Amino acid sequence: MGGGRSATEDGKMEKAEALYASAKTSVWWDIENCEVPKRCEPHAIAQNISSALAKMNYRGPVSIIAYGDTMRIPTSVQQALSSTGISLNHVPAGVKDASDKKILVDMLFWAVDNPAPANYLLISGDRDFSYGLHQLRMRRYNILLAKPQQASVPLIAAAKTVWLWTSLLAGGIPSSVQGQSQQAPGNTTHERNTETPKRSNSGTEGASKSFEYNQEFIRVILQALKTLKKEKIMPTKENLDDCIKYGDVKNRDTNVKKALKTAIKQQMVVKQTSGNVELYVPKNEGLWKCVKHTEGNPEDYPIEAVDAIKVLLRIPSGRSAIMASQCRYEAGTIIKRRCLKELPLGDILEILDMVITRKKWILHQPMGWQPIKITLQEFKRK
């Protein structure tokens, strides 16, 4: 036949892009959807997954986390997986889609600490992961998938590279890479016909949408807490609200109260109390070192920082920027961006409090912020 041979006919598959070849790969294994076969050697699974990735030129660090009801997994298999570096997360049976939700939330949490470029390898065939993978791919993460024979079409579409689970277990090559396909001889089944039949349920679509919104809420909250920690700011509800609304403009319309409630309900954030103050921290984390605002003397603060703020308040561009700020937090971010990049925002807000309460360079409304007045004389243009 004419027309030449395709890359897959020659046995060659498109390998990892240079951007992702040396990046981290996190493997998320839905062990209830893709079980350990009875005749499989569990001690070899971790090594074979790494070998399959290496064949596609993924050379970065690999971590593997499995999720499911460990009560259904033989003790010998659990010990074999754990001894080869696979982390097992027990998800009790009886709660619908509990493993899927746990995996999705933890995948989102991993993205907060591991910015792109990085690789996700999901081992599952469940369509509940489709939206999350598509969102991660839009954020420049590379999506890989290992699936059982029957899998969701939207899930497959989200991945750049797809293995059959049995092939990945053996350290083999993918079945497809961005539209290329590697089919076994005599296998004429098209990928489109592999979607698992679903029972009709009028509430399914609504529940799916709700879960998608919850994922985004959790991502926003975790990112804001990471910022507050870096800037040495107490994680109060008010500071979370300001950080989200005046940090990234894309999050300005976020319902922070609902987002925080969702993150707590999904056990990704824990509420703590310090005296009469409610604080919020990511799960498994303690409260970080925060700057405590006190009405100190001007002499207690770095003179260079105080002078920098004084100059900013007197030059037209800095003056107008502060005058347009909607709250103290936003004014602090303006000061940091304009003249005190090296200081944590927590320190800047403390100096700003002193500038307001002791030096009276800025006057604002007792019960709010706007309108504000700057008492320093503006530099005259020459």
Side-chain angles (χ1 to χ4, degrees):
M1 294 179 66
R5 296 165 62 114
S6 69
T8 53
E9 287 172 326
D10 288 331
K12 298 176 182 178
M13 303 293 285
E14 183 181 342
K15 296 190 176 182
E17 297 176 30
L19 183 65
Y20 300 103
S22 60
K24 296 179 182 178
T25 299
S26 60
V27 182
W28 307 84
W29 180 7
D30 180 359
I31 206 167
E32 294 178 353
N33 195 264
C34 292
E35 298 179 345
V36 177
K38 290 183 179 179
R39 288 179 289 181
C40 172
E41 171 50 63
H43 286 95
I45 292 176
Q47 181 58 51
N48 286 349
I49 291 175
S50 295
S51 297
L53 288 167
K55 288 176 182 177
M56 297 302 292
N57 204 32
Y58 292 103
R59 306 185 306 273
V62 178
S63 61
I64 306 174
I65 311 174
Y67 294 79
D69 184 1
T70 56
M71 302 298 291
R72 300 179 180 178
I73 303 173
T75 302
S76 59
V77 174
Q78 292 186 47
Q79 292 174 345
L81 297 178
S82 297
S83 68
T84 53
I86 297 176
S87 299
L88 287 172
N89 276 328
H90 174 60
V91 182
V95 180
K96 184 181 179 182
D97 299 328
S99 288
D100 292 359
K101 292 177 180 178
K102 176 66 174 168
I103 294 171
L104 279 165
V105 170
D106 285 357
M107 287 173 71
L108 194 63
F109 196 67
W110 192 84
V112 172
D113 292 326
N114 298 274
N119 306 297
Y120 279 88
L121 168 54
L122 175 68
I123 303 174
S124 182
D126 200 320
R127 70 177 298 160
D128 288 346
F129 295 103
S130 303
Y131 177 84
L133 294 187
H134 279 288
Q135 290 297 312
L136 288 168
R137 188 165 183 177
M138 288 171 62
R139 289 171 170 80
R140 298 179 62 247
Y141 289 95
N142 187 41
I143 305 302
L144 315 172
L145 175 69
K147 67 178 186 66
Q149 286 287 346
Q150 303 296 317
S152 163
V153 172
L155 181 70
I156 295 169
K160 176 187 176 183
T161 304
V162 181
W163 283 264
L164 281 173
W165 169 226
T166 51
S167 177
L168 185 72
L169 270 177
I173 62 172
S175 58
S176 65
V177 178
Q178 287 187 331
Q180 299 178 14
S181 63
Q182 181 81 20
Q183 299 218 1
N187 184 3
T188 59
T189 302
H190 196 280
E191 199 73 74
R192 255 191 210 104
N193 295 325
T194 62
E195 175 146 16
T196 305
K198 295 281 183 177
R199 289 181 298 173
S200 176
N201 187 338
S202 60
T204 301
E205 291 301 321
S208 177
K209 283 292 182 184
S210 176
F211 188 61
E212 292 165 9
Y213 288 131
N214 289 347
Q215 285 182 271
E216 186 64 16
F217 277 152
I218 293 170
R219 182 193 69 79
V220 171
I221 291 293
L222 292 178
Q223 187 61 55
L225 288 174
K226 184 177 181 180
T227 298
L228 293 180
K229 181 178 181 179
K230 177 184 176 183
E231 301 294 351
K232 299 182 179 179
I233 298 174
M234 292 186 72
T236 64
K237 189 178 295 184
E238 293 76 14
N239 287 337
L240 264 172
D241 191 89
D242 287 340
C243 180
I244 290 169
K245 291 185 176 179
Y246 301 104
D248 190 336
V249 67
K250 294 184 296 184
N251 299 326
R252 187 151 290 188
D253 295 328
T254 299
N255 185 331
V256 178
K257 182 178 180 181
K258 186 174 181 180
L260 184 56
K261 183 178 179 180
T262 300
I264 293 172
K265 185 177 180 180
Q266 294 293 332
Q267 298 182 347
M268 294 306 297
V269 171
V270 179
K271 181 169 74 172
Q272 300 181 355
T273 56
S274 178
N276 295 325
V277 181
E278 293 182 347
L279 305 172
Y280 302 87
V281 296
K283 69 170 185 177
N284 303 326
E285 284 193 31
L287 180 64
W288 48 85
K289 185 178 180 181
C290 306
V291 177
K292 294 184 178 180
H293 293 185
T294 58
E295 293 186 9
N297 294 317
E299 293 79 14
D300 296 336
Y301 303 95
I303 187 64
E304 297 85 359
V306 177
D307 285 346
I309 293 176
K310 184 176 183 180
V311 170
L312 182 70
L313 294 175
R314 296 189 67 186
I315 62 175
S317 61
R319 191 182 188 92
S320 60
I322 296 296
M323 290 283 287
S325 62
Q326 297 300 306
C327 65
R328 190 178 305 221
Y329 186 97
E330 187 181 19
T333 63
I334 293 169
I335 293 170
K336 179 179 176 69
R337 188 169 61 251
R338 294 292 189 97
C339 59
L340 295 177
K341 292 186 177 74
E342 73 285 355
L343 285 184
L345 185 56
D347 287 335
I348 294 172
L349 291 173
E350 185 180 25
I351 299 172
L352 181 58
D353 281 348
M354 181 275 295
V355 163
I356 293 169
T357 58
R358 300 300 295 269
K359 288 190 172 292
K360 310 291 185 183
W361 290 347
I362 299 176
L363 303 178
H364 65 87
Q365 295 299 304
M367 300 303 294
W369 183 249
Q370 285 288 0
I372 65 173
K373 179 181 179 181
I374 296 176
T375 61
L376 290 172
Q377 185 176 4
E378 183 176 345
F379 282 134
K380 294 182 180 180
R381 299 176 183 271
K382 292 184 179 180

